């Protein structure tokens, strides 16, 4: 196995929206390398559809404080309010920046950036839905990814495409410990690359492939969080995982909330608009956790549709066909492709789909990674985007706030890293730092056990969707915990077919499965400990929010023996006192 | 006041599995001197995609079969391949439409590295050569630039490109001459040439007026047929040609 050594000031791992936005801050100002296991334009930011909220007030009165209130309430009061204020205030600049970068937003008749309604976004603290989401048809994420990539091309950013990071390197001990670099595996050659770097920013996205029904790409396997988790960095709030209400039935492919923002209606198998009962004011535009639970309840009550009564409908048939073509062309195309249904004429079968990790690598508002619940920073280590937990989404993310998160905190993380690297010495990495990765790869290739990666992954996904998704109980979570423990044992006996060095995805899938298993374990342990229902975390055996005991974030630590321990960090409140969440 | 509608019986019915026969062009640079064909048979649903079927092979029969993929619903552009002679994305083509006898090859015109994986670097280099980013001199200040709905519509079609290379690698001219920038690069130039906010149209038109540029196009329309995003690729190329000839954007 060949090993190459590189030296940089800043290494960014992941080239979706957050990584590219960070690269725009550092490129040309310090030696920057961007590592991605894909090509940048393949990143899953490109699959985001509906929009990015910012209180531009282009089409009706709005303010960033209203946006912040909605985000706090949407988070079920678990989001840290100072961080939410930063995000919602900077949202306006972030949209303007993107426009200046060339993003082709949809426009109003006056030529301004158009805005539309989105779930949980309201005027004046919940009075009525507000038009806050800036969008580009139903491919806003595609446009953001393309635009940021274009800007990186313009800045001649140094990309290492199809380089997958499998380890992090630190220097110093105890309180002197700081970031020193990463070890990456080059897919095209199987070579290892040691990147010594003063600063490293992780922006590797989510880990939705631990679920069977998922809107996530095959490649969303939590590599960044997985690598850091094993290196001793805690994970925050893993139990909060969002299930998007409108995934294509059986497939999980996302159909944007923008479809409901344009007037789409959810109906049960009897044709009833059930969201009227659940959220009388905002109806179908209630936040995702509430809508997903409402769908679950309809199905459980026998009011689902189809032969097994296990889905409901997203109905667009009453919308003008030209509005569908102009505003929702991509998602209606997906429906035609995968279900063979014409959404202008027939309602679309949907079910909740695993969509977004609210939890992840704990950071402050500058993207600096925290190593404990006392906000201790590990110098030089940064994270941004879905892999990170600031926490601005708390227990439930509002639609559009993910695209906002990546550009706001990608920028902040990049800026902070650029500042940090100015006065630190270059890390000294001993030769052989790639040793542990080399050993893992070699032992994976030498594995002679009888276990197959795909079988373990399929069982993990089935368990997580059955026992740790929209509705959970102590019993279901214990079951999932036991299954995961068994799968982790079997994982040690994995055997792969491909022993080669060139594009060995058989090997990388096996490595990725290790990350998914660890993170799933963390999710389930956190969910079992949290004996309350808050946001996306619903416990049938503890169906109320418990503000006395649980206004706190969980920090999961993965021990060397593979066990997970939890500690806790209080939620940072602001001007909004927790109150009952009604829409 | 619950509103109702007539329930429509939509059933994504689950029909029986069918046998799918695949002939895949394999090449392992570590073992083979030249590509060879390998046959596989898997059970799949008519609603399964070609990508699903390839995954079945990889995950249950032969883990060495190698191909790129990510989003699995036609937006990331990773899994362009030649399916029964035509450039397509594996993830948006169902067995019910492509059939149960499949011949699968890597896209043409780019060097094959392993199985369905080709070297994308020449393709991205051509993309980068057309200045694919907004270029302006003016300072818009702390506010958005205005753009009318008509101006925005002018380049809407070419904003859809996902850089999958289906178009470029379906072009006979590109197969014969790899120095041609190819339709994807032209589409991405078009996206800025016709953007009312951009001021570098003439630089891009100069680039595309060179020997490697638009004049290589012989309007075979392969690119338009191959585009999984439904972009009118040939039309975009023609619009760029006209802009060069008549100095009009």
């Amino acid at each position: 196995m060949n090993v190459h050594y590189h030296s940089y000031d800043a290494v960014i791992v992941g080239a979706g929206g957050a990584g590219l936005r960070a690269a725009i801050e550092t490129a040309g100002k310090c030696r920057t390398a961007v590592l991605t296991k894909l090509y940048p334009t393949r990143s899953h930011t490109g699959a985001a559809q509906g929009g990015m909220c910012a209180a531009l007030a282009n089409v009706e009165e709005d303010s960033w404080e209203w946006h912040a209130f909605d985000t706090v309430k949407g988070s079920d009061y678990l989001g840290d309010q100072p961080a939410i204020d930063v995000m919602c205030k900077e949202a306006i600049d972030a949209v303007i920046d993107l426009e200046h970068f060339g993003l082709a937003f949809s426009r109003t008749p006056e030529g301004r950036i158009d805005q539309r309604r989105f779930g949980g976004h309201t005027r004046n603290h919940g009075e009525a839905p507000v038009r806050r989401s800036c969008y580009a048809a139903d491919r806003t994420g595609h446009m953001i990814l393309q635009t940021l990539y274009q800007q990186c091309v313009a800045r001649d950013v140094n990309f290492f495409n199809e380089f997958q990071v499998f380890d992090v390197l630190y220097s110093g001990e105890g309180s002197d410990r700081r970031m020193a670099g990463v070890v990456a595996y080059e897919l095209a050659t199987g070579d290892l690359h040691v990147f010594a770097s003063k600063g490293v920013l992780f922006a590797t996205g989510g880990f939705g492939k631990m679920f069977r029904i998922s809107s996530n790409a095959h490649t969303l396997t939590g590599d960044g969080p997985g690598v850091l988790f094993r290196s001793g960095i805690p994970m925050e709030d893993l139990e909060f995982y969002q299930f998007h209400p409108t995934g294509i039935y059986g497939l999980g492919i996302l159909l944007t909330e923008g479809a409901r923002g344009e007037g789409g209606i959810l109906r049960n198998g009897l044709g009833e608009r059930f969201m009227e009962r659940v959220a009388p004011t905002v109806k179908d535009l209630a936040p995702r956790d509430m809508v997903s639970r409402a769908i679950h309840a309809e199905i459980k009550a026998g009011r689902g549709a189809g032969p097994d009564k296990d889905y409901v409908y997203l109905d667009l048939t009453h919308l003008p066909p030209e509005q569908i073509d102009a505003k929702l062309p991509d998602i209606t195309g997906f429906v035609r492709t995968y279900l063979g249904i014409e959404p202008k004429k027939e309602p679309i079968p949907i079910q909740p789909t695993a969509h977004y990790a609210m939890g992840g690598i704990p950071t402050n508002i500058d993207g600096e990674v925290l190593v404990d619940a006392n906000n201790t920073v590990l110098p030089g280590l940064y994270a941004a985007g879905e892999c990170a937990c600031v926490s601005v989404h708390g227990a439930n993310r509002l639609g559009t706030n993910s695209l906002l998160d990546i550009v706001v905190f990608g920028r902040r993380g990049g800026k902070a890293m650029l500042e940090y690297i100015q006065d630190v010495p270059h890390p000294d990495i001993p030769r052989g730092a790639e040793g542990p990765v080399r050993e893992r790869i070699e032992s994976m290739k030498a594995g002679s056990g009888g276990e197959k990666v795909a079988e373990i992954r399929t069982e993990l996904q089935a368990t997580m969707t059955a026992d740790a998704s929209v509705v959970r109980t102590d019993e279901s979570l214990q079951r999932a915990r036991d299954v995961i423990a068994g799968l982790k044992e079997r994982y040690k006996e994995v055997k792969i077919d491909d022993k080669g060095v060139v594009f060995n995805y058989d090997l990388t899938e096996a490595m990725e499965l290790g990350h998914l298993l660890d993170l799933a374990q963390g999710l389930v342990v956190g969910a079992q400990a949290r004996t309350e229902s808050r946001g996306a975390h619903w416990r049938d055996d503890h169906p109320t929010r418990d503000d006395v005991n649980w206004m706190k974030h969980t920090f999961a630590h993965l021990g060397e023996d593979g066990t997970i321990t939890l500690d806790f960090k209080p939620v940072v409140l602001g001007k909004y006192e927790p109150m009952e969440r009604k829409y | 006041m619950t509103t109702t509608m007539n329930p429509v019986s939509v059933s994504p019915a689950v029909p029986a599995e069918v046998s799918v026969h695949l002939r895949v062009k394999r090449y392992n640079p570590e073992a083979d001197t030249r590509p060879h064909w390998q046959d596989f048979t898997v059970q799949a649903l008519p609603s399964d995609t070609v990508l699903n079927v390839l995954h079945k092979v990889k995950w249950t029969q032969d883990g060495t079969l190698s191909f790129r993929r990510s989003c699995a619903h036609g937006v990331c552009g990773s899994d362009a391949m030649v399916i029964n002679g035509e450039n397509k994305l594996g993830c948006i083509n169902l067995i019910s439409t492509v059939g149960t006898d499949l011949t699968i090859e890597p896209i043409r015109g780019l060097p094959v590295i392993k199985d369905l994986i080709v070297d994308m670097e020449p393709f991205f280099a051509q993309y980068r050569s057309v200045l694919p980013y907004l270029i302006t001199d003016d300072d818009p200040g702390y506010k958005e630039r205005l753009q009318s709905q008509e101006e925005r519509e002018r380049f809407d079609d070419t904003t859809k490109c996902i850089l999958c290379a289906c178009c470029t690698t379906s072009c006979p001219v590109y197969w014969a001459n790899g120095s041609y920038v190819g339709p994807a690069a032209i589409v991405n130039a078009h996206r800025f040439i016709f953007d009312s906010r951009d001021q570098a149209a003439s630089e891009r038109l100069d680039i595309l007026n060179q020997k490697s540029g638009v004049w290589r196009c012989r309007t075979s329309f392969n690119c338009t047929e191959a585009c999984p995003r439904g972009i009118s690729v040939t039309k975009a190329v023609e619009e760029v040609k006209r802009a060069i000839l008549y100095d009009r954007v």
Side-chain angles (χ1 to χ4, degrees):
Chain A
M1 210 178 292
N2 298 319
V3 186
H4 310 262
Y5 294 88
H6 308 260
S7 222
Y8 282 89
D9 293 323
V11 164
I12 294 166
V13 185
L20 296 177
R21 188 64 190 80
I24 288 172
E25 292 305 312
T26 63
K29 297 172 191 146
C30 68
R31 274 176 56 78
T32 301
V34 180
L35 278 52
T36 164
K37 67 173 174 176
L38 306 168
Y39 270 78
T41 58
R42 313 304 184 211
S43 306
H44 212 52
T45 296
Q49 297 164 357
M52 170 174 159
C53 274
L56 299 183
N58 274 6
V59 289
E60 62 178 308
E61 188 188 359
D62 200 0
S63 83
W64 72 259
E65 285 100 340
W66 295 353
H67 185 181
F69 169 78
D70 290 337
T71 302
V72 171
K73 183 178 169 187
S75 82
D76 219 346
Y77 298 91
L78 192 78
D80 289 334
Q81 293 190 28
I84 290 171
D85 283 352
V86 163
M87 180 175 77
C88 295
K89 207 186 281 186
E90 294 187 5
I92 298 165
D93 281 5
V95 168
I96 302 293
D97 279 348
L98 287 172
E99 199 284 327
H100 292 180
F101 286 158
L103 198 138
F105 284 108
S106 294
R107 299 284 175 158
T108 66
E110 299 74 39
R112 308 186 70 185
I113 294 169
D114 199 9
Q115 299 186 271
R116 66 176 165 203
R117 299 186 182 95
F118 233 84
H121 290 278
T122 69
R123 55 170 286 110
N124 197 16
H125 313 96
E127 267 178 23
V130 71
R131 293 175 64 179
R132 182 178 291 148
S133 169
C134 309
Y135 66 100
D138 57 353
R139 52 176 188 281
T140 315
H142 165 78
M143 297 293 214
I144 289 181
L145 183 66
Q146 293 287 327
T147 300
L148 293 175
Y149 181 59
Q150 290 155 5
Q151 288 300 313
C152 287
V153 170
R155 287 164 174 75
D156 203 15
V157 168
N158 193 5
F159 285 104
F160 289 82
N161 297 324
E162 300 185 317
F163 275 58
Q164 189 158 3
V165 168
F166 284 143
D167 202 5
V168 279
L169 303 171
Y170 303 104
S171 66
E173 294 293 326
S175 59
D176 286 334
R177 196 161 71 128
R178 55 177 63 232
M179 180 41 54
V182 297
V183 180
Y185 174 82
E186 183 181 6
L187 290 166
T189 61
D191 290 355
L192 291 180
H193 293 256
V194 177
F195 287 82
S197 185
K198 295 177 183 177
V200 175
L201 183 143
F202 278 86
T204 58
F207 35 84
K209 270 296 161 186
M210 68 171 66
F211 295 93
R212 183 175 69 85
I213 300 292
S214 171
S215 68
N216 280 210
H218 287 291
T219 44
L220 287 173
T221 50
D223 301 349
V227 162
L228 291 175
F229 207 13
R230 280 187 196 172
S231 81
I233 303 293
M235 291 294 131
E236 182 174 358
D237 289 344
L238 284 179
E239 64 271 30
F240 293 103
Y241 198 92
Q242 178 164 84
F243 299 86
H244 192 294
T246 55
I248 293 181
Y249 173 67
L251 299 173
I253 295 170
L254 181 68
L255 301 177
T256 176
E257 200 164 305
R260 283 170 282 140
E262 295 290 340
I265 290 171
L266 295 169
R267 298 184 187 279
N268 63 20
L270 306 171
E272 294 165 338
R273 185 178 190 180
F274 55 90
M275 284 310 297
E276 281 180 338
R277 293 195 294 265
V278 181
T281 308
V282 296
K283 302 186 181 77
D284 301 278
L285 287 174
R288 291 172 178 174
D289 58 329
M290 299 178 86
V291 181
S292 285
R293 268 196 299 284
I295 293 170
H296 187 271
E298 289 302 306
I299 291 170
K300 203 174 165 196
R303 294 191 293 269
D308 298 326
K309 293 187 184 296
D310 59 349
Y311 57 82
V312 299
Y313 294 116
L314 172 62
D315 183 8
L316 308 179
T317 56
H318 55 289
L319 300 181
E322 55 283 3
Q323 184 186 352
I324 291 179
D325 290 339
K327 303 294 180 66
L328 305 167
D330 279 12
I331 63 147
T332 46
F334 299 152
V335 173
R336 289 180 199 112
T337 298
Y338 295 107
L339 297 178
I341 283 173
E342 175 45 62
K344 290 173 187 167
K345 298 197 175 118
E346 290 180 74
I348 308 159
I350 55 104
Q351 70 183 136
T353 181
H355 186 55
Y356 186 88
M358 270 75 72
I361 306 160
T363 73
N364 60 26
I365 55 168
D366 290 316
E368 296 175 299
V369 172
L370 311 176
V371 294
D372 58 34
N374 303 318
N375 295 322
T376 309
V377 162
L378 194 142
L381 178 57
Y382 299 80
E386 186 176 344
C387 73
C389 178
V390 185
S391 146
V392 285
H393 309 305
N396 173 63
R397 176 175 68 75
L398 287 191
T400 76
N401 275 354
S402 57
L403 289 177
L404 180 57
D405 176 350
I406 60 177
V407 290
V408 167
F409 292 105
R411 174 177 158 276
R412 292 183 75 94
K415 271 176 86 106
M417 180 162 61
L418 179 61
E419 212 166 289
Y420 166 80
I421 58 121
Q422 305 300 326
D423 348 284
V424 290
H426 209 278
D428 224 1
I429 290 184
R431 294 269 147 170
E434 76 287 355
V437 175
R438 177 201 293 271
E439 277 167 37
R440 270 171 65 210
I441 289 172
E442 281 170 357
S443 80
M444 197 73 86
K445 284 187 181 175
S448 56
E451 296 292 346
K452 296 206 77 153
V453 169
E455 285 171 14
I456 295 174
R457 187 176 51 217
T458 302
E459 287 182 39
L460 172 69
Q461 292 169 337
T463 297
M464 293 302 286
T465 287
D467 290 330
S469 57
V470 178
V471 172
R472 304 158 170 179
T473 64
D474 185 66
E475 195 191 341
S476 78
L477 292 164
Q478 185 59 46
R479 196 160 51 229
R481 201 166 166 164
D482 294 343
V483 168
I484 293 165
L487 295 176
K488 286 186 91 161
E489 281 306 307
R490 287 171 56 191
Y491 179 67
K492 294 176 184 161
E493 302 299 318
V494 151
K495 178 173 183 290
I496 59 174
D497 292 345
D498 198 337
K499 314 290 186 190
V501 296
V502 179
F503 280 103
N504 189 341
Y505 286 125
D506 209 23
L507 170 72
T508 56
E509 281 189 35
M511 302 286 270
E512 290 166 348
L513 176 60
H515 301 148
L516 288 179
L517 285 166
D518 287 346
L519 294 166
Q521 183 189 1
L523 187 157
V524 169
V525 168
Q528 200 174 17
R530 190 175 283 273
T531 49
E532 65 157 354
S533 288
R534 182 186 298 271
H537 171 67
W538 182 271
R539 288 280 301 260
D540 254 353
D541 47 353
H542 297 276
T544 51
R545 197 175 76 195
D546 177 359
D547 288 343
V548 176
N549 295 302
W550 285 105
M551 281 295 284
K552 56 191 181 189
H553 303 285
T554 54
F555 271 52
H557 300 263
L558 179 63
E560 279 179 25
D561 59 352
T563 57
I564 283 176
T565 49
L566 298 178
D567 60 87
F568 303 96
K569 179 179 127 175
V571 172
V572 186
L573 286 170
K575 61 184 159 201
Y576 302 115
E577 287 297 318
M579 57 181 192
E580 198 194 345
R581 210 161 141 247
K582 277 190 185 158
Y583 287 90
Chain B
M1 60 167 273
T2 296
T3 48
T4 58
M5 61 160 202
N6 295 326
V8 180
S9 62
V10 180
S11 58
V14 186
E17 289 195 330
V18 292
S19 275
V20 178
H21 176 241
L22 298 97
R23 273 196 99 205
V24 185
K25 199 178 212 176
R26 303 288 310 265
Y27 174 67
N28 176 2
E30 297 171 66
D32 303 331
T33 48
R34 61 173 65 89
H36 60 96
W37 293 96
Q38 188 172 357
D39 294 297
F40 299 98
T41 302
V42 295
Q43 299 300 306
L45 296 169
S47 59
D48 271 318
T49 62
V50 173
L51 178 62
N52 292 149
V53 170
L54 287 169
H55 271 148
K56 281 176 195 245
V57 172
K58 182 172 182 69
W59 292 341
T60 65
Q61 298 182 19
D62 184 352
T64 68
L65 180 65
S66 301
F67 48 91
R68 294 189 178 102
R69 87 289 189 259
S70 188
C71 79
H73 65 286
V75 298
C76 79
S78 297
D79 65 339
M81 56 188 77
V82 183
I83 302 171
N84 290 345
E86 291 176 7
N87 279 17
K88 294 178 187 301
L89 299 181
C91 61
I92 60 171
N93 283 279
L94 275 51
I95 296 306
S96 57
T97 48
V98 295
T100 53
D101 267 310
L102 301 176
T103 304
I104 299 177
E105 304 161 68
I107 48 177
R108 301 175 184 126
L110 293 167
V112 175
I113 301 176
K114 181 184 182 185
D115 293 343
L116 303 180
I117 297 169
V118 300
D119 181 4
M120 295 295 289
E121 208 36 57
F123 173 82
F124 276 98
Q126 280 148 342
Y127 163 81
R128 289 193 296 267
S129 75
V130 300
L131 313 177
Y133 39 84
L134 190 78
I135 298 173
T136 60
D137 297 332
D138 60 337
D139 173 13
Y142 173 66
K143 58 180 190 302
E144 67 199 271
R145 293 187 189 84
L146 298 182
Q147 181 167 55
S148 74
Q149 290 178 338
E150 294 69 33
E151 287 167 338
R152 168 65 180 74
E153 183 61 25
R154 183 69 189 86
F155 63 100
D156 185 66
D157 200 34
T158 46
T159 65
K160 295 174 187 163
C161 177
I162 55 174
L163 297 166
C164 65
C166 274
C167 60
T168 295
T169 62
S170 71
C171 174
V173 178
Y174 188 78
W175 299 336
N177 185 343
S179 68
Y180 172 38
V181 292
I186 300 170
V187 159
N188 282 279
H190 180 284
R191 180 250 171 274
F192 290 100
I193 290 168
F194 293 94
D195 185 334
S196 58
R197 301 168 297 174
D198 185 84
Q199 293 168 341
S202 61
E203 276 125 290
R204 292 193 196 90
L205 293 175
D206 284 346
I207 292 167
L208 293 174
N209 195 24
Q210 292 168 8
K211 265 205 323 215
S212 57
V214 289
W215 305 113
R216 295 242 173 228
C217 168
R218 289 286 174 270
T219 52
S220 72
F221 283 90
N222 281 18
C223 51
T224 302
E225 280 168 28
C227 179
R229 303 283 295 150
I231 300 169
S232 301
V233 182
T234 314
K235 182 168 170 245
V237 176
E238 289 301 299
E239 287 178 353
V240 172
K241 287 180 185 171
R242 252 175 279 145
I244 293 172
L245 283 179
Y246 305 113
D247 199 19
R248 263 205 320 249
V249 295

